[in-house]
Amino acid sequence: MSWFEKYEGHIIDGRHIYVCIKMSDRIKINGQHIYVSSKEPDYVKMYNKWIIQICSIRKVAKFFHTLYFIVEEDPTETTPIAYVLLGDLYDGKPRIHIDPSRAQTFKEFDSCILHELTHFWQNQLTRWAAKLVDSAERMNKIMEKLISKELQNTNLPNLRRLLFLFVLHLHTEGLATFIHNYAARNIQFSESSFLKYYQDARKAALNLDRQLFREANKTNEPDALDLAACFSGPQYTIGMHMVYTLLYLAPEITSGKIALGKIAKMNHFTFIKKYEACMLKRGLKPVVSLTSGAGDFDYKRSLQQWWKAVKG
């Protein structure tokens, strides 16, 4: 199998945009392997056009002097249309990976790129990826002491990490999901929309709460990804509801023109506490809470359940 590789550089309003196309001589589209010319497949022009368009019109793209886009088919067929690597976030390198077999329309492509650009933008403001890596390293050392050898092969160590990541991702994924939906004009600020997002988030949180500790003590099964999947949907649904709620109910955030910037700069614990306060002030049960026990999903309550499972 031969390889096609092409690099292109563009300058947009003084900003540098680099696109690297790395493909074999066949790509998979809708389940079918299509053989392409090693000179320049049509999708190269299409992706270049879409990337230039996004970098020209989308505000979040304009925060970066240099952006890199790597277009390369994922042979495992498990990646989304676009994704970023934690290592690139940690190093502050705004590099977005794109699987060309997945995007079918510009709207779909635009939403995914905006989502990933938001992660880099928020990381540029707060360095959350570096904090995540440092916290994870400390947590691993602590769990080596807390968890017996017998339980190391269960899902309990992974569940503790995922609980921590869930709290972080409510903030980062919630903000990115809100921004790409808002840009696509899928967001309307109204009482009916607020209540719909609230009910969707409550359903996701209650389902998550029921599932977690049913999975925790499984052993000798390759189910770490199954456990991670319990969190993957809820973190987007609940997180976007939380961002929407702050913009809809918190006047101290929405005053001025940088409301999303204020939310992006928050510590993730502050983000949850402000959300919880907004919901309680409104007279509604929060979907998520940190330590009060007020939420459908409470972080402290989950940690207590986890510790109970560890102690047997």
Side-chain angles (χ1 to χ4, degrees):
M1 185 180 294
S2 62
W3 285 86
F4 168 83
E5 190 164 309
K6 180 183 177 71
Y7 295 87
E8 285 200 11
H10 309 279
I11 297 178
I12 302 173
D13 298 328
R15 294 174 289 117
H16 295 267
I17 312 300
Y18 297 100
V19 183
C20 175
I21 311 283
K22 298 171 68 175
M23 300 297 294
S24 69
D25 59 357
R26 60 178 183 172
I27 61 173
K28 193 170 186 179
I29 298 179
N30 295 330
Q32 299 293 319
H33 278 99
I34 308 297
Y35 286 85
V36 297
S37 166
S38 61
K39 293 181 179 179
E40 185 170 297
D42 289 341
Y43 64 83
V44 173
K45 293 180 180 178
M46 179 180 71
Y47 279 107
N48 265 301
K49 180 181 177 182
W50 286 357
I51 288 168
I52 292 169
Q53 187 174 347
I54 291 168
C55 291
S56 299
I57 65 174
R58 293 306 184 193
K59 184 177 180 180
V60 69
K62 298 178 182 180
F63 286 104
F64 302 94
H65 182 264
T66 306
L67 283 170
Y68 299 90
F69 296 87
I70 294 89
V71 182
E72 184 173 14
E73 185 182 7
D74 173 29
T76 67
E77 301 179 11
T78 59
T79 59
I81 293 170
Y83 59 97
V84 298
L85 300 177
L86 181 59
D88 289 335
L89 285 162
Y90 184 89
D91 294 332
K93 295 179 180 177
R95 183 181 293 139
I96 296 177
H97 297 260
I98 299 164
D99 186 344
S101 67
R102 306 226 177 250
Q104 304 298 319
T105 66
F106 173 75
K107 183 177 180 180
E108 187 179 28
F109 185 80
D110 181 39
S111 290
C112 290
I113 297 299
L114 272 176
H115 187 104
E116 304 308 327
L117 282 172
T118 300
H119 288 322
F120 278 109
W121 169 62
Q122 187 178 16
N123 187 62
Q124 192 177 63
L125 295 174
T126 65
R127 296 294 292 155
W128 64 263
K131 295 173 185 175
L132 166 62
V133 171
D134 293 343
S135 297
E137 289 176 354
R138 288 196 300 270
M139 187 180 299
N140 287 338
K141 291 178 181 178
I142 292 171
M143 285 197 296
E144 286 176 5
K145 298 177 181 179
L146 285 179
I147 299 180
S148 66
K149 291 182 179 180
E150 292 77 14
L151 293 177
Q152 289 291 341
N153 292 326
T154 71
N155 266 332
L156 285 168
N158 194 43
L159 176 57
R160 179 63 185 88
R161 297 183 191 99
L162 288 169
L163 285 168
F164 169 74
L165 288 174
F166 179 62
V167 171
L168 173 71
H169 287 159
L170 287 172
H171 190 194
T172 59
E173 296 296 354
L175 183 64
T177 303
F178 178 88
I179 286 177
H180 86 240
N181 276 290
Y182 186 78
R185 301 175 185 248
N186 294 331
I187 301 286
Q188 292 184 344
F189 286 98
S190 66
E191 189 66 10
S192 60
S193 293
F194 167 71
L195 292 174
K196 180 184 183 304
Y197 292 134
Y198 175 49
Q199 293 302 326
D200 289 346
R202 287 202 73 188
K203 182 178 179 181
L206 291 168
N207 285 338
L208 176 63
D209 211 35
R210 282 193 294 265
Q211 288 176 348
L212 285 187
F213 291 91
R214 199 167 53 204
E215 301 287 325
N217 287 302
K218 286 186 177 180
T219 57
N220 301 319
E221 295 180 28
D223 55 9
L225 285 177
D226 292 343
L227 187 59
C230 291
F231 291 93
S232 61
Q235 67 193 16
Y236 297 96
T237 303
I238 299 170
M240 195 186 87
H241 152 70
M242 294 170 74
V243 172
Y244 184 101
T245 297
L246 290 181
L247 293 170
Y248 188 63
L249 296 180
E252 71 276 12
I253 290 174
T254 54
S255 60
K257 297 182 179 180
I258 54 170
L260 288 172
K262 291 177 185 177
I263 293 174
K265 290 178 182 179
M266 288 178 185
N267 173 282
H268 49 275
F269 290 120
T270 301
F271 169 71
I272 295 176
K273 287 179 179 178
K274 283 191 176 292
Y275 159 77
E276 184 180 352
C278 282
M279 295 299 287
L280 292 173
K281 185 176 180 180
R282 176 66 187 267
L284 293 172
K285 185 178 180 65
V287 175
V288 174
S289 56
L290 277 179
T291 60
S292 68
D296 292 312
F297 183 95
D298 183 77
Y299 184 55
K300 181 179 179 181
R301 185 172 65 238
S302 295
L303 293 183
Q304 288 171 339
Q305 288 178 278
W306 177 82
W307 182 241
K308 184 178 178 181
V310 168
K311 298 294 284 185

